[in-house]
Amino acid sequence: MNREMNRESRAGHPVPLAARILYTAWMLAWVPLILATAGAQNFWWLCNCALFIVLVATWIPSPLLISSQAGTVTVVGLVWAADLAAGLVFGDSPTGITAYMFEPALPLIQRLASLYHLWFPIYAIWLCRRQGYDDRGPWLQCVIGSLAIVGGWWFGDPVRNLNYTQAPFGIEQTWLPDAVYLPLLCVATAAALYWPGHRIVRWVLARLG
């Protein structure tokens, strides 16, 4: 598969122009919407950071860059979709992950914009198939994700609980000092997202051929 991707890269851009334009149009609509409804702090979420990184990888082919994000957004997308589906059945999010989707006080357009979690993993894996997959991706994501976690803690409003830096799964973090909790959170996030996601993406790509 990698040899095929390399031949295609030499022949031209591995990502069709239509896909590049459509994804860029999405970002041009999504960024001002989030700025107007949720504020710039919202960009510190790992899945939102991934949108910007994938935008770069869409235009500047980089197997390493897209591989760093594919696993994360795949796991997040699967969990998010399952939680939303359960919320639609039972009337509320069972874990709190998609609780905001059932909050009428939030603008409907903001909540609808979050539906990108459903198609984004498919797009990321498709980019991996077009560009090739780099096994170093999860290691790079350990760096990027840790920076996003610390950035969300440093610059974000504690009430926003960005990347669960204040209250993992709604439980206020009071038992550890931040200097201990944040590194542990970075390690736990890598173990729960990046590496399982790496295996899932590898499995999917192997079956797609």
Side-chain angles (χ1 to χ4, degrees):
M1 184 178 70
N2 287 334
R3 287 195 298 270
E4 183 180 342
M5 292 298 104
N6 289 336
R7 286 197 298 270
E8 187 173 3
S9 296
R10 288 194 295 269
H13 201 291
V15 183
L17 180 60
R20 284 178 272 160
I21 291 174
L22 283 173
Y23 186 76
T24 303
W26 156 257
M27 291 298 291
L28 289 174
W30 178 78
V31 169
L33 171 63
I34 296 304
L35 285 173
T37 57
Q41 292 185 47
N42 215 55
F43 296 144
W44 285 108
W45 283 105
L46 287 171
C47 48
N48 291 343
C49 288
L51 286 168
F52 292 97
I53 296 171
V54 171
L55 177 62
V56 175
T58 294
W59 285 96
I60 304 173
S62 171
L64 177 59
L65 204 56
I66 186 59
S67 300
S68 73
Q69 302 305 306
T72 298
V73 302
T74 296
V75 174
V76 170
L78 289 172
V79 173
W80 193 93
D83 192 77
L84 179 65
L88 291 172
V89 172
F90 299 110
D92 197 8
S93 162
T95 68
I97 292 174
T98 63
Y100 66 96
M101 294 293 288
F102 303 94
E103 178 53 63
L106 291 178
L108 177 61
I109 191 170
Q110 179 185 349
R111 287 178 280 155
L112 290 176
S114 282
L115 293 176
Y116 82 80
H117 289 89
L118 302 179
W119 58 261
F120 192 36
I122 299 171
Y123 180 67
I125 292 175
W126 178 74
L127 284 180
C128 287
R129 191 162 185 258
R130 300 286 302 186
Q131 298 185 21
Y133 188 84
D134 193 321
D135 287 323
R136 298 172 299 169
W139 292 106
L140 176 59
Q141 178 61 354
C142 287
V143 177
I144 295 172
S146 296
L147 290 174
I149 289 171
V150 174
W153 171 80
W154 186 267
F155 296 105
D157 184 341
V159 175
R160 302 289 293 274
N161 192 30
L162 298 171
N163 295 315
Y164 303 109
T165 53
Q166 306 295 330
F169 301 104
I171 303 172
E172 186 180 1
Q173 198 293 110
T174 57
W175 57 91
L176 291 174
D178 289 335
V180 175
Y181 173 70
L182 288 176
L184 288 177
L185 178 62
C186 291
V187 172
T189 303
L193 292 183
Y194 315 152
W195 293 102
H198 164 68
R199 292 182 176 275
I200 292 172
V201 172
R202 262 303 187 192
W203 183 85
V204 172
L205 291 174
R207 274 140 190 81
L208 291 175

